[in-house]
Amino acid sequence: METVERLKSEFSSSLTSLPSTNANETLLLLSENEALKKLVKSISTEFDILFTLLVVDRPPEAFELNYVFSRYRDSALLTIRVNLNHDKPVIDSIAKILPSAEWEEREAYDLFGIKFRGHPDLRRILLQDDWPGRPLRKDFVVTDEIRNWTGLDLKF
Amino acid sequence: MINEEPNADEFSYPGLGEVMFMKAENFINSVLSWGRSRSLWPLTFGTKCCAMEMIPFGATKVDADRTGTLFVGDSPRQADLILCSGTISKKMVRRLLSAYEQMASPKYVIAVGACNISGGLFHDSYNSIEGIDRIIPVDVYIPGCPPRPEMFMDAVLALQKLIRENKEQGH
Ligand code: SF4
């Protein structure tokens, strides 16, 4: 894909190709988290939508973020993989560049507690605002307290 | 059998002889509960697949209307009965309670399906309520995943019977 050639020449030191199981997809690993915004800006000239944002919890080292971009022209997929520090998962938001990222980032924030710097409206999207904990993290345990939690003061 | 004709005496007012020796209060109560049992307007609070079975419950073959269970308005303010089905997530609890609180008393609750009664498929999940009887008082349960429309009819008939016999006062 010529986009990949272009990106590689632009971000030579921080981008590495990884093998992908899907013939339609190109997988790139970005080692420099600060460059994400610049990279996405460069990608967004060709790829119109953020298809999905996948988060994998790999304790104790990292949260792995997979940004999957797509385009209407030929449905090609381009995945950018970023690793975040597990203790301090913070990364720049790309919601201002690709609006479809806004809810994806809110979801990652909701279920994994990843903070997106510069997100216009970083709130929980699926769970109640005062919900205790981040349920999809590997270290999350469903205790009786969580099971019976409603956030309401119910007495009968 | 569910599709049986209801007994003739279920339709009748108390007989004249009984009325003459009845306390006025009891007479009023029996007329009221007869009236209530025959006009249970349901609020369909369906959050998942069980709600699909509510559609044939109201449609021709089972025909909820012939028991006075009319699907009119579907607004909590005009409902006596809440047909609550599907998983109730922790976010949904507040919406369920606000719908329940808007209904006029006496109000009745039918819990529909495994998810609603005990959590069902989503038992032991971090975000579902394991049984709405933890939140609101339930009068009749309909087990099943999903229950057949005939079972809805059975539950409504059972609830009507309880109301007529003054066993169920509503809340
Ligand atoms: S009990 Fe079964 S049919 Fe009913 S809502 Fe749950 S999963 Fe769906």
Side-chain angles (χ1 to χ4, degrees):
Chain A
M1 223 195 303
E2 74 273 17
T3 327
V4 176
E5 304 304 319
R6 179 168 65 78
L7 290 175
K8 272 204 170 151
S9 63
E10 212 175 316
F11 298 88
S12 53
S13 58
S14 49
L15 272 183
T16 359
S17 281
L18 295 179
S20 168
T21 45
N22 185 346
N24 205 19
E25 184 197 11
T26 321
L27 180 54
L28 298 174
L29 176 72
L30 180 70
S31 56
E32 211 182 304
N33 291 357
E34 280 65 41
L36 180 77
K37 240 174 152 175
K38 199 155 153 261
L39 176 68
V40 172
K41 244 183 209 138
S42 166
I43 288 172
S44 68
T45 55
E46 289 205 31
F47 286 79
D48 339 76
I49 47 172
L50 178 72
F51 193 65
T52 185
L53 169 59
L54 308 166
V55 185
V56 187
D57 187 2
R58 296 200 191 284
E61 311 93 38
F63 279 110
E64 181 187 296
L65 262 63
N66 295 281
Y67 292 84
V68 185
F69 300 92
S70 180
R71 60 182 172 199
Y72 292 112
R73 179 152 52 85
D74 55 0
S75 313
L77 297 177
L78 171 63
T79 304
I80 304 292
R81 180 173 292 177
V82 184
N83 284 312
L84 302 189
N85 183 346
H86 198 277
D87 300 324
K88 228 169 117 254
V90 185
I91 193 159
D92 282 331
S93 164
I94 60 162
K96 294 249 172 73
I97 307 164
L98 287 170
S100 59
E102 187 178 331
W103 280 15
E104 301 283 351
E105 289 181 350
R106 277 177 69 183
E107 192 177 351
Y109 167 74
D110 187 356
L111 303 175
F112 287 94
I114 290 160
K115 301 236 162 51
F116 292 91
R117 244 182 273 127
H119 189 284
D121 182 21
L122 196 61
R123 284 179 296 132
R124 283 181 180 268
I125 190 170
L126 297 170
L127 302 175
Q128 193 73 37
D129 287 338
D130 48 359
W131 209 89
R134 305 288 170 188
L136 291 198
R137 286 193 179 198
K138 289 244 168 76
D139 56 8
F140 182 86
V141 189
V142 184
T143 57
D144 271 348
E145 207 179 315
I146 295 286
R147 238 172 252 133
N148 297 328
W149 184 90
T150 55
L152 299 169
D153 190 17
L154 296 171
K155 285 195 190 75
F156 290 106
Chain B
M1 273 301 295
I2 295 106
N3 285 332
E4 257 175 24
E5 280 301 309
N7 294 334
D9 61 27
E10 285 186 2
F11 281 112
S12 62
Y13 287 104
L16 189 60
E18 288 167 62
V19 168
M20 285 171 73
F21 298 104
M22 228 179 196
K23 273 202 212 151
E25 193 192 335
N26 288 358
F27 174 70
I28 291 169
N29 274 348
S30 68
V31 174
L32 272 182
S33 58
W34 175 83
R36 273 174 195 146
S37 75
R38 287 290 166 200
S39 66
L40 286 172
W41 288 10
L43 165 68
T44 50
F45 197 90
T47 57
K48 255 174 73 201
C49 17
C50 272
M52 288 295 117
E53 300 296 313
M54 277 184 207
I55 300 166
F57 173 50
T60 323
K61 197 172 171 197
V62 178
D63 196 6
D65 286 9
R66 66 194 160 128
T67 62
T69 312
L70 304 182
F71 290 90
V72 270
D74 223 358
S75 132
R77 305 257 170 143
Q78 288 145 26
D80 311 290
L81 165 68
I82 179 164
L83 271 172
C84 189
S85 73
T87 322
I88 302 297
S89 70
K90 290 189 170 155
K91 206 171 181 176
M92 202 65 185
V93 166
R94 294 165 209 218
R95 280 77 187 167
L96 173 63
L97 269 180
S98 93
Y100 182 74
E101 279 164 5
Q102 285 179 58
M103 289 160 62
S105 286
K107 45 197 167 191
Y108 308 94
V109 180
I110 295 184
V112 180
C115 287
N116 206 273
I117 294 170
S118 66
L121 282 178
F122 304 95
H123 171 76
D124 214 17
S125 149
Y126 59 87
N127 200 32
S128 71
I129 296 294
E130 292 168 6
I132 59 157
D133 46 10
R134 295 179 182 210
I135 314 293
I136 53 179
V138 178
D139 299 310
V140 179
Y141 297 86
I142 314 180
C145 179
R148 290 185 61 85
E150 289 89 340
M151 292 172 75
F152 281 76
M153 186 56 114
D154 209 14
V156 167
L157 290 180
L159 180 60
Q160 286 185 343
K161 198 148 173 265
L162 288 175
I163 297 171
R164 267 199 306 278
E165 289 168 1
N166 278 323
K167 284 188 184 141
E168 199 58 77
Q169 298 294 340
H171 296 277

